[in-house]
């Protein structure tokens, strides 16, 4: 199967957090399957991870040119993986893609976060008899889950983020093949190469956007968020509302400018909202100093701040809430309101301190992966 992301982005640790990528110089089934188990369990809800076999690590990055594997070795590994996958409980199938890098074959194992977490795997997948154990990621390493961490792992059962859940209402005709193809071309995925000759449902399956048994495959919510022209059909009031109060919402609430409602797939909503703010809110002042030729340019708001805030508002919003993302432009500031507010794992004290905010759970981890691939977050 082809990867849903460009291989160079993985090698250079772009668009995917470094703790979700692991380089392996050679094939070590026990260690690799411990990491597979950890990525599938995904204790931090970051979206699983990638294991690149045949790539040596040097100071945290891939050493180039890569060491590589020989083609026969890759064939043998793929055959062995069928049996090793069977040693994961509950049932889980890894996704493997042979790739050519620096003229040499390597193997990329894509491990999306599983729907039936937590997962255990035999301590030794090559031994005839072994003990099943749970594993998790700790920073950029894989460790065995013990004590309190093991309790957290077991508590993951039946707790699937909303964007990863299957939705029986979403049909294949609701998904735009044009949007899927444009995304794959943008991120330079090999899935775009033979896109036209294949059924869209097969492409979605390889992108890990389907769930459920073969006789009843369901499309995940995130597919509609990303690739449906009208996701509000499934998630009511999925939209961005922008209101400008030239004199202030308290001082003169009757004087307002309402922007046209912004709807569509999430990337389009982000781009349309940013386009409106850049045209109607961001202002530039040019001052010509008397002592030099260059002019001084000053902006009332940095565009990058709006880009980060609006992307995060749509990334982390609760799509089960029937409320829009609200952007209110006042004379002195801009308010961006995204329901249902911060995750409960972030304390009020942490918000007031405003130093480091880290949620233990992502509301829409897979949606975040797509937005990162597009450089929107």
């Amino acid at each position: 199967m082809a990867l849903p992301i460009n291989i160079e982005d993985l090698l250079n640790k772009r668009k995917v957090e470094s703790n979700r990528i692991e380089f392996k110089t050679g094939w070590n089934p026990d260690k690799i399957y411990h990491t597979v188990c950890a990525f599938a369990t995904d204790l931090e809800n970051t979206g699983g991870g990638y294991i690149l076999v045949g790539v040596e690590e040097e100071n945290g990055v891939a050493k180039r040119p890569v060491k590589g594997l020989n083609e026969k070795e890759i064939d043998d590994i793929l055959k062995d993986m069928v049996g090793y996958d069977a040693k994961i409980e509950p049932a889980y199938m890894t996704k493997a893609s042979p790739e050519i890098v620096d003229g040499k074959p390597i193997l990329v194992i894509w491990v999306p976060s599983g729907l039936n977490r937590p997962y255990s795997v035999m301590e030794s997948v090559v031994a005839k008899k072994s003990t099943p154990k749970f594993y998790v990621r700790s920073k950029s390493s894989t460790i065995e889950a013990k004590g309190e961490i093991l309790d957290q792992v077991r508590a993951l059962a039946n707790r699937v983020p909303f964007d990863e859940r299957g939705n029986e209402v979403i049909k294949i005709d609701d998904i735009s093949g044009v949007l899927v193809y444009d995304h794959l071309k943008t991120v330079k995925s090999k899935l775009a190469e033979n896109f036209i000759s294949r059924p869209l449902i097969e492409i979605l399956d390889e992108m890990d956007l389907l769930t459920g048994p073969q006789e009843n495959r369901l499309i995940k919510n995130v597919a509609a968020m990303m690739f449906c022209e009208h996701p509000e059909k499934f998630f009511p009031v999925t939209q961005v509302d922008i209101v400008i109060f030239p004199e202030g919402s308290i001082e003169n609430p009757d004087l307002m400018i309402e922007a046209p409602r912004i709807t569509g797939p999430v990337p389009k909503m982000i781009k349309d909202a940013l386009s409106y703010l850049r045209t109607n809110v961001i202002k530039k002042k040019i001052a010509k100093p008397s002592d030099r030729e260059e002019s001084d340019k000053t902006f009332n708001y940095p565009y990058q701040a709006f880009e980060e805030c609006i992307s995060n508002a749509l990334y982390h919003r609760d799509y089960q809430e029937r409320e829009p993302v609200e952007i209110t432009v006042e004379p002195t500031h801009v308010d961006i309101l995204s329901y249902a507010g911060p995750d409960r794992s972030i304390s009020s004290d942490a918000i007031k301190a405003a130093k480091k905010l880290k949620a233990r759970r992502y509301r829409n981890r897979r949606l975040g992966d797509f937005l990162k691939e597009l450089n929107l977050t």
Side-chain angles (χ1 to χ4, degrees):
M1 60 158 287
L3 294 172
I5 188 172
N6 184 263
I7 183 64
E8 287 296 329
D9 288 334
L10 288 177
L11 289 164
N12 294 296
K13 295 187 174 181
R14 296 191 300 255
K15 302 180 182 179
V16 176
E17 296 93 334
S18 59
N19 64 331
R20 295 179 55 208
I21 301 172
E22 185 154 308
F23 300 124
K24 294 290 187 183
T25 306
W27 176 244
N28 183 335
D30 288 341
K31 294 289 186 183
I32 286 173
Y33 266 81
H34 294 172
T35 300
V36 166
C37 181
F39 281 145
T41 294
D42 193 16
L43 181 61
E44 294 291 333
N45 280 337
T46 55
Y50 299 84
I51 304 168
L52 284 71
V53 186
V55 180
E56 189 176 353
E57 186 174 7
E58 187 175 55
N59 298 323
V61 297
K63 185 177 180 180
R64 306 295 289 270
V66 299
K67 182 178 179 181
L69 304 168
N70 64 62
E71 292 186 5
K72 184 181 183 307
E73 188 177 7
I74 290 180
D75 289 338
D76 291 340
I77 289 171
L78 292 174
K79 291 175 184 176
D80 290 341
M81 286 178 67
V82 176
Y84 299 153
D85 283 354
K87 297 189 177 185
I88 301 174
E89 287 290 341
Y92 183 92
M93 290 185 63
T94 53
K95 300 172 184 288
S97 175
E99 302 284 335
I100 300 296
V101 177
D102 301 332
K104 299 176 182 177
I106 68 168
L107 183 66
V108 181
I109 303 172
W110 176 30
V111 189
S113 178
L115 296 178
N116 299 308
R117 303 181 298 166
Y119 293 89
S120 65
V121 69
M122 294 298 176
E123 185 177 13
S124 175
V125 295
V126 298
K128 291 185 178 180
K129 292 185 178 181
S130 187
T131 305
K133 292 188 176 181
F134 294 93
Y135 297 89
V136 296
R137 294 293 282 179
S138 176
K139 298 181 175 63
S140 296
S141 301
T142 297
I143 62 171
E144 183 185 346
K146 297 179 180 179
E148 185 179 340
I149 295 177
L150 181 57
D151 293 338
Q152 293 179 32
V153 166
R154 286 172 171 156
L156 289 173
N158 300 320
R159 204 169 72 193
V160 180
F162 180 73
D163 64 333
E164 286 270 49
R165 297 176 195 168
N167 191 325
E168 61 184 12
V169 179
I170 303 171
K171 305 302 179 187
I172 190 64
D173 291 341
D174 296 312
I175 305 300
S176 166
V178 174
L179 291 176
V180 176
Y181 178 73
D182 284 347
H183 175 84
L184 294 173
K185 286 284 287 184
T186 300
V187 303
K188 299 179 181 178
S189 169
K190 287 169 64 178
L191 283 173
E193 293 176 4
N194 58 347
F195 185 90
I196 298 175
S197 62
R198 300 178 60 195
L200 180 58
I201 196 74
E202 284 186 13
I203 301 291
L204 296 183
D205 196 14
E206 292 205 23
M207 294 175 71
D208 192 36
L209 292 175
L210 304 180
T211 186
Q214 289 297 326
E215 69 276 10
N216 184 31
R217 301 293 271 163
L218 299 179
I219 297 174
K220 293 182 180 180
N221 284 321
V222 68
M225 295 174 187
M226 286 292 301
F227 308 120
C228 178
E229 295 283 1
H230 298 284
E232 68 274 11
K233 174 181 175 182
F234 310 106
F235 322 116
V237 203
T238 295
Q239 63 194 53
V240 177
D241 292 346
I242 303 177
V243 181
I244 300 175
F245 291 94
E247 297 179 3
S249 57
I250 296 176
E251 292 77 7
N252 190 355
D254 296 327
L255 179 59
M256 68 173 71
I257 301 169
E258 289 188 90
R261 180 178 299 163
I262 296 173
T263 59
V266 172
K268 179 179 181 296
M269 284 193 288
I270 292 172
K271 292 172 183 177
D272 288 354
L274 288 171
S275 177
Y276 183 89
L277 293 174
R278 179 159 48 189
T279 302
N280 298 281
V281 176
I282 297 178
K283 305 298 181 185
K284 178 171 69 174
K285 179 181 179 181
I286 300 177
K288 183 71 174 175
S290 58
D291 58 342
R292 64 179 189 275
E293 294 179 359
E294 296 84 4
S295 300
D296 290 333
K297 297 177 182 179
T298 310
F299 294 87
N300 58 344
Y301 295 103
Y303 177 80
Q304 292 84 352
F306 279 145
E307 184 178 40
E308 184 73 14
C309 292
I310 292 169
S311 296
N312 276 286
L314 284 157
Y315 172 2
H316 298 297
R317 82 176 289 249
D318 187 343
Y319 285 85
Q320 293 174 281
E321 288 273 358
R322 299 193 173 203
E323 297 289 346
V325 170
E326 300 175 12
I327 302 175
T328 306
V329 182
E330 302 274 1
T332 57
H333 63 280
V334 176
D335 288 329
I336 301 176
L337 179 60
S338 177
Y339 292 90
D343 187 88
R344 285 177 294 179
S345 63
I346 302 176
S347 68
S348 298
D349 291 339
I351 294 172
K352 290 175 182 177
K355 290 182 178 179
K356 184 177 180 180
L357 303 180
K358 180 178 173 68
R360 297 190 190 94
R361 296 180 295 274
Y362 280 66
R363 280 203 183 101
N364 304 296
R365 62 186 178 199
R366 189 69 195 284
L367 176 62
D369 284 346
F370 281 119
L371 297 180
K372 288 168 190 172
E373 290 168 15
L374 295 171
N375 292 321
L376 290 172
T377 57

